[in-house]
Amino acid sequence: MTSVKKILITGARGFIGKNLTAAFSENKEKTLLLYDIEDPAAVLKDYVQQADIIYHLAGVNRPVEEADFTTGNLGSIEAVIALCKAFNLKTPIVLTSSIQADYDNPYGVSKKRAEEALISYGMDNDVKVYVFRLKNVFGKWCRPNYNSAVATFCHNIANGLPITVSSRENVVNLVYIDDIIEKFIKIPEYTIHEKDKYYHEIDTSYSKTLGEITDLLYSFKEMRNNLTVPDMSDGFEKKLYSTFLNYLPQDKFSYPLKMNVDYRGSFTEFLKTDNRGQVSINISKPEITKGNHWHHTKVEKFLVVSGKGVIRFRHINSDEVIEYFVSGDKLEVIDIPPGYTHNISNLGLTDMVTVMWANEKFDPEKPDTFFMEV
């Protein structure tokens, strides 16, 4: 299937469909045939005949009538199968199912029957079919107050609304939308062994309690106040944070920082972490010198991004002064080692802006900062 050029996505305007469409759109050599439930049946008929692969994402999980489970889940894949048979096609088909297919409820039963119909078609007609029983999917563009607790929690917490948690100890099995999409776009390149399987898994998944999820989401909201960031080494936390930001009100993407302003300019803390230090922004007025202090253990990095100046060092047990001339015209990082008193002077006619990183968050109880003229 490496020559796949035309890709049919049913349920294209749904959560997974939007994300899959966006991913495939990055490849300008692919033609996307996008179909959703509101489109005429004639459009599906035309697209099925053109497609080199079919991603059947269409389905129903919150119908008005219970019978609609069967129509929306089993009936929709049967319609695709019927068209493939009518035109004697061997087009590979990918089906998104649900872990609910293991349960005896109307939704699960309809998903199980859809799986069985597709696998039977594949076996009888020597057609490659791929069934994915997805766990609870979270990520950008998922609709809140519908069928995703994570989407609802994200939306409500981001918008200052209350949430309802049935039990903090309840465990939810989750998969992230981009992990699904990464798997799906590789299907045309599957090995022979992978093609011989009917059921397939998303490589990465997570089991989290509702308490763990909601605690993280509330901490994400508070991060705008305490300037911390999530633990990006934790895959789930990183992905949940990306999801949470997608639910912020569009007029609340920005948030103010506390600028400590005096006649010399300003100093503003930007980001703080427990294990990666702190980032701050320093603005110095013309002819102003800041610093003249040293540290026992704390280290820093200075990066002048606008204006020009000089950074001076002196070992506390030496009279020799070392100078580094810096400018926003040539970005250069200056390491500030411990045991050296240092300062930074603005030599220009405009404000000088410096990005400063320290290897630890500032602790007023233990500042590790000692005055000494360079």
Side-chain angles (χ1 to χ4, degrees), residues 48-224:
V48 166
Q49 293 178 74
Q50 296 184 52
D52 297 314
I53 187 171
I54 299 170
Y55 290 86
H56 186 69
L57 314 180
V60 171
N61 50 32
R62 287 284 184 96
V64 176
E65 302 292 339
E66 186 174 303
D68 292 338
F69 279 122
T70 301
T71 303
N73 295 322
L74 174 60
S76 64
I77 189 61
E78 286 182 330
V80 172
I81 291 171
L83 289 169
C84 289
K85 285 182 176 180
F87 297 107
N88 194 30
L89 303 173
K90 300 291 184 180
T91 311
I93 302 175
V94 181
L95 173 69
T96 51
S97 185
S98 166
I99 54 175
Q100 290 292 317
D102 274 336
Y103 296 91
D104 187 22
N105 56 58
Y107 175 66
V109 169
S110 67
K111 283 294 190 181
K112 176 66 173 177
R113 292 179 64 191
E115 294 175 0
E116 293 171 343
L118 181 63
I119 291 172
S120 176
Y121 164 70
M123 294 175 63
D124 293 345
N125 296 274
D126 192 28
V127 174
K128 301 301 180 186
V129 299
Y130 309 84
V131 176
F132 287 84
R133 280 190 178 179
L134 298 179
K135 300 174 182 178
N136 296 277
V137 186
F138 72 102
K140 65 183 185 298
W141 308 337
C142 187
R143 178 179 168 188
N145 302 306
Y146 185 57
N147 68 327
S148 168
V150 171
T152 302
F153 291 155
C154 285
H155 174 268
N156 285 19
I157 292 172
N159 288 271
L161 302 173
I163 63 171
T164 301
V165 179
S166 55
S167 171
R168 285 179 54 84
E169 285 68 45
N170 281 356
V171 175
V172 183
N173 296 308
L174 300 153
V175 288
Y176 183 55
I177 186 63
D178 285 4
D179 292 329
I180 296 172
I181 301 308
E182 181 179 6
K183 188 80 170 183
F184 279 11
I185 62 178
K186 291 179 179 178
I187 288 176
E189 301 170 0
Y190 269 12
T191 64
I192 295 299
H193 172 69
E194 288 171 316
K195 289 179 180 179
D196 288 342
K197 298 189 299 182
Y198 293 115
Y199 285 96
H200 297 262
E201 299 285 338
I202 304 303
D203 298 331
T204 303
S205 63
Y206 306 94
S207 293
K208 299 292 178 180
T209 66
L210 293 179
E212 289 175 313
I213 294 169
T214 54
D215 286 350
L216 277 173
L217 292 175
Y218 277 117
S219 76
F220 295 161
K221 186 173 185 179
E222 181 59 23
M223 285 173 183
R224 291 177 148 217

Side-chain angles (χ1 to χ4, degrees), residues 348-359:
L349 301 176
T350 60
D351 288 355
M352 180 174 65
V353 181
T354 307
V355 178
M356 296 180 169
W357 171 84
N359 66 329

Side-chain angles (χ1 to χ4, degrees), residues 212-342:
E212 289 175 313
I213 294 169
T214 54
D215 286 350
L216 277 173
L217 292 175
Y218 277 117
S219 76
F220 295 161
K221 186 173 185 179
E222 181 59 23
M223 285 173 183
R224 291 177 148 217
N225 298 320
N226 60 31
L227 305 184
T228 58
V229 293
D231 179 2
M232 295 302 176
S233 66
D234 183 300
F236 176 74
E237 190 166 336
K238 176 182 178 182
K239 294 167 184 175
L240 186 63
Y241 182 64
S242 295
T243 302
F244 173 76
L245 291 183
N246 189 68
Y247 292 87
L248 289 172
Q250 292 184 3
D251 61 348
K252 294 293 189 295
F253 286 167
S254 68
Y255 57 100
L257 297 175
K258 179 185 176 184
M259 298 180 66
N260 300 290
V261 181
D262 61 22
Y263 72 94
R264 301 172 302 165
S266 65
F267 181 82
T268 305
E269 295 177 321
F270 174 30
L271 294 175
K272 299 179 180 181
T273 69
D274 290 327
N275 55 8
R276 292 292 185 270
Q278 172 174 321
V279 178
S280 305
I281 307 300
N282 182 71
I283 299 177
S284 300
K285 296 293 183 181
E287 301 182 3
I288 288 296
T289 297
K290 291 185 177 183
N292 285 318
H293 59 239
W294 64 280
H295 315 289
H296 277 292
T297 299
K298 182 185 294 185
V299 297
E300 298 170 295
K301 292 179 182 288
F302 289 1
L303 173 62
V304 172
V305 296
S306 180
K308 64 179 181 178
V310 60
I311 298 172
R312 296 185 176 94
F313 298 82
R314 180 174 61 82
H315 192 287
I316 64 170
N317 295 322
S318 170
D319 294 329
E320 180 185 1
V321 176
I322 304 165
E323 293 183 329
Y324 284 88
F325 290 89
V326 289
S327 168
D329 295 331
K330 180 185 178 183
L331 297 185
E332 180 179 11
V333 176
I334 308 298
D335 277 320
I336 313 296
Y340 280 79
T341 187
H342 52 276

Side-chain angles (χ1 to χ4, degrees), residues 355-374:
V355 178
M356 296 180 169
W357 171 84
N359 66 329
E360 59 188 37
K361 291 192 293 185
F362 178 72
D363 181 358
E365 299 297 322
K366 188 181 178 181
D368 188 16
T369 301
F370 306 93
F371 176 79
M372 181 181 287
E373 292 278 359
V374 175

